[in-house]
C-alpha cells in the first residue's frame, strides 16, 4: 500500500510538471523540458535515421571508376532511392519536433530588464533545436534529391535564424543544392557570401572547401577544384574521406598533365584502407602512370598481392 501511494504521488507530480511544460508557457522549466525532449529523443532518432540512410547509400551505390569521381557519393542519381526510407523517417521526426515542441510565446516580462534579457526576449523561437530540425529536414530532402523542398528548408533557417550558427550550415547546404541543380550562379553567390563572412565558424572550413571543390568539378574547372580539394584534404581527419579525396585529386592531376603527382596520389589511396575496389583501381591507375620515380618492384608486389 505504501509503495502504491508513493507511485501515485510521483505520477501526480510528474503529470503536474509536464502540464506546466506546455509550449503555451515560456518558463525556465518548460524550456528545459522541451529542449531535453527535443534533443535526446526526437532529434537524436532523426539523426540516427539519416546516418542509417547514408550507410545504405555507401553500401549499395557503386562508384564508376572509369570517370572522375564526384566529391559526394550522394550525387549519383541512384543514391536517392537507396536513402529514401530512412530519410522519410528523418523528415517525420524533424516535423514532429517542430510541431510538438516549438516555443514561440514570449517569456513573462521582468521588472528589471537587463540587456541580456532584452536580447533573449526578442527571439522568435525559444527551443534551441527548432533550427536544427529544419536543417535536418532539409538535409533529408536533399538526400532524396528533392532539391526544391531542401532549398525551402535551408532558406527558412537562413532567414529566420540569422543570429544562430546554423545559418552557416544552411548556406553551405544551399550551395550544395544549387550545385546539384546546376544553378551555378546562385551557388557561386552563396559560396562568395560564406567566404566573405567574418563570423564563419572554423568547424565548417573543411566542408566549405569540399562544396567549393564540388562546384568547380561539376563545371570541369579542374585547376580550381584541385586547390580546394587540397585544402579539404589538409583539414580532413577521416581516413575514408582522405582516401576518396586522394583518388579524385589523382584523377584531376592526371587530367591537368601532372602525372608525377597523379601517381603519388593514387599510391596514397590504399594507405587509408579504403574499400577493395577503390584500392584496386588506385593501384591499377598508378601502374598505368609509372614514371620511374617510385619503386617498380613495390608496385609489382602490390598488384600481385591484389
Amino acid at each position: 500500500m505504501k509503495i502504491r501511494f508513493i507511485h501515485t504521488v510521483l505520477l501526480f507530480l510528474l503529470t503536474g510538471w509536464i502540464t506546466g511544460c506546455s509550449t503555451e508557457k515560456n518558463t525556465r522549466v518548460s524550456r528545459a523540458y522541451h529542449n531535453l525532449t527535443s534533443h535526446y529523443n526526437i532529434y537524436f532518432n532523426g539523426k540516427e535515421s539519416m546516418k542509417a540512410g547514408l550507410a545504405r547509400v555507401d553500401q549499395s551505390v557503386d562508384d564508376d571508376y572509369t570517370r572522375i569521381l564526384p566529391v559526394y557519393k550522394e550525387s549519383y542519381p541512384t543514391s536517392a532511392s537507396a536513402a529514401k526510407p530512412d530519410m522519410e523517417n528523418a523528415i517525420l521526426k524533424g516535423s514532429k519536433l517542430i510541431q510538438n515542441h516549438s516555443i514561440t510565446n514570449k517569456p513573462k516580462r521582468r521588472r528589471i530588464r537587463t540587456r541580456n534579457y532584452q536580447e533573449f526576449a526578442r527571439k522568435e523561437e525559444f527551443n534551441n533545436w527548432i533550427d536544427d530540425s529544419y536543417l535536418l529536414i532539409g538535409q533529408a530532402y536533399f538526400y532524396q534529391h528533392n532539391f526544391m523542398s531542401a532549398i525551402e528548408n535551408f532558406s527558412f533557417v537562413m532567414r529566420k535564424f540569422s543570429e544562430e550558427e546554423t545559418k552557416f550550415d544552411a548556406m553551405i547546404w544551399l550551395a550544395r543544392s544549387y550545385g546539384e541543380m546546376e544553378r551555378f550562379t546562385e551557388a557561386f553567390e552563396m559560396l562568395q557570401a560564406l567566404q566573405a563572412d567574418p563570423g564563419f565558424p572554423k568547424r565548417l572550413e573543411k566542408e566549405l572547401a569540399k562544396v567549393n571543390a564540388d562546384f568547380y568539378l561539376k563545371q570541369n574547372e579542374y585547376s580550381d577544384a584541385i586547390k580546394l580539394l587540397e585544402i579539404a584534404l589538409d583539414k580532413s581527419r577521416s581516413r575514408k574521406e582522405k582516401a576518396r579525396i586522394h583518388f579524385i585529386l589523382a584523377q584531376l592531376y592526371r587530367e591537368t598533365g601532372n602525372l608525377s603527382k597523379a601517381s603519388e596520389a593514387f599510391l596514397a589511396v590504399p594507405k587509408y584502407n579504403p574499400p577493395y575496389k577503390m584500392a584496386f583501381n588506385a593501384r591499377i591507375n598508378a601502374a598505368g602512370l609509372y614514371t620511374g620515380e617510385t619503386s617498380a618492384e613495390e608496385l609489382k608486389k602490390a598488384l600481385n598481392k591484389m
Side-chain angles (χ1 to χ4, degrees):
M1 285 292 291
K2 186 176 181 181
I3 293 173
R4 186 179 297 175
F5 174 75
I6 292 171
H7 284 173
T8 303
V9 170
L10 288 172
L11 182 63
F12 176 78
L13 291 172
L14 181 62
T15 303
W17 184 68
I18 292 174
T19 303
C21 290
S22 164
T23 55
E24 298 299 314
K25 295 183 178 181
N26 187 348
T27 65
R28 184 174 295 180
V29 172
S30 67
R31 289 194 300 273
Y33 168 76
H34 288 287
N35 274 306
L36 191 69
T37 305
S38 298
H39 185 192
Y40 293 105
N41 185 1
I42 308 172
Y43 183 76
F44 173 81
N45 290 330
K47 288 289 284 187
E48 288 300 299
S49 290
M50 182 168 288
K51 288 178 186 176
L54 291 176
R56 198 184 303 276
V57 168
D58 196 44
Q59 292 165 7
S60 62
V61 177
D62 290 325
D63 277 305
D64 181 0
Y65 292 100
T66 65
R67 300 174 180 271
I68 295 174
L69 300 188
V71 174
Y72 301 98
K73 206 172 186 181
E74 304 85 53
S75 292
Y76 287 115
T78 52
S79 71
S81 56
K84 190 177 176 70
D86 293 299
M87 297 307 162
E88 286 291 347
N89 192 51
I91 291 167
L92 184 67
K93 294 296 182 184
S95 301
K96 180 182 177 183
L97 192 158
I98 293 165
Q99 183 178 352
N100 295 342
H101 297 282
S102 174
I103 303 173
T104 56
N105 287 340
K106 298 294 183 182
K108 187 177 180 181
R109 293 184 67 180
R110 295 179 181 176
R111 290 183 180 179
I112 301 174
R113 295 190 288 275
T114 64
R115 185 174 179 179
N116 286 341
Y117 172 79
Q118 289 174 335
E119 289 178 1
F120 172 74
R122 280 199 295 267
K123 292 172 65 174
E124 293 184 28
E125 175 60 59
F126 295 89
N127 183 328
N128 297 333
W129 295 94
I130 298 300
D131 53 338
D132 297 275
S133 295
Y134 277 110
L135 194 65
L136 177 73
I137 293 168
Q139 290 168 335
Y141 278 129
F142 176 92
Y143 290 128
Q144 290 182 338
H145 289 199
N146 184 348
F147 299 120
M148 288 307 301
S149 294
I151 286 170
E152 286 177 13
N153 280 274
F154 299 141
S155 297
F156 183 81
V157 173
M158 186 179 165
R159 185 173 64 254
K160 289 292 185 180
F161 298 94
S162 59
E163 300 300 315
E164 304 294 333
E165 201 173 90
T166 43
K167 169 189 77 172
F168 296 108
D169 297 84
M171 291 172 74
I172 282 179
W173 282 92
L174 275 169
R176 278 191 70 178
S177 301
Y178 289 136
E180 292 294 344
M181 297 177 74
E182 298 186 354
R183 290 165 59 175
F184 295 123
T185 300
E186 289 152 295
F188 180 73
E189 290 172 355
M190 197 59 60
L191 291 169
Q192 288 292 99
L194 283 163
Q195 290 165 352
D197 197 314
F200 185 79
K202 191 172 183 179
R203 67 178 177 86
L204 291 173
E205 286 178 353
K206 181 198 71 178
E207 200 57 40
L208 179 58
K210 286 178 68 178
V211 176
N212 255 306
D214 185 56
F215 168 79
Y216 287 115
L217 190 56
K218 279 179 164 58
Q219 299 172 83
N220 300 323
E221 296 181 23
Y222 296 152
S223 295
D224 288 316
I226 286 171
K227 293 173 188 174
L228 275 305
L229 282 172
E230 287 173 340
I231 293 171
L233 181 64
D234 183 59
K235 294 182 179 295
S236 177
R237 296 294 175 266
S238 162
R239 293 176 65 83
K240 180 180 174 182
E241 188 175 53
K242 280 178 176 288
R244 187 175 193 85
I245 294 173
H246 268 297
F247 198 101
I248 300 169
L249 276 171
Q251 291 177 308
L252 296 182
Y253 289 140
R254 181 174 59 191
E255 288 294 318
T256 54
N258 194 338
L259 302 186
S260 177
K261 289 197 79 170
S263 177
E264 184 183 326
F266 276 129
L267 288 172
V269 172
K271 296 176 183 177
Y272 295 99
N273 195 28
Y276 177 81
K277 284 184 180 179
M278 180 177 281
F280 180 81
N281 277 278
R283 287 192 169 111
I284 289 292
N285 278 283
L289 290 170
Y290 182 66
T291 60
E293 292 183 21
T294 54
S295 169
E297 282 304 312
E298 284 185 19
L299 196 55
K300 283 180 185 177
K301 284 180 184 178
L303 291 171
N304 285 326
K305 186 179 179 181
M306 298 190 79

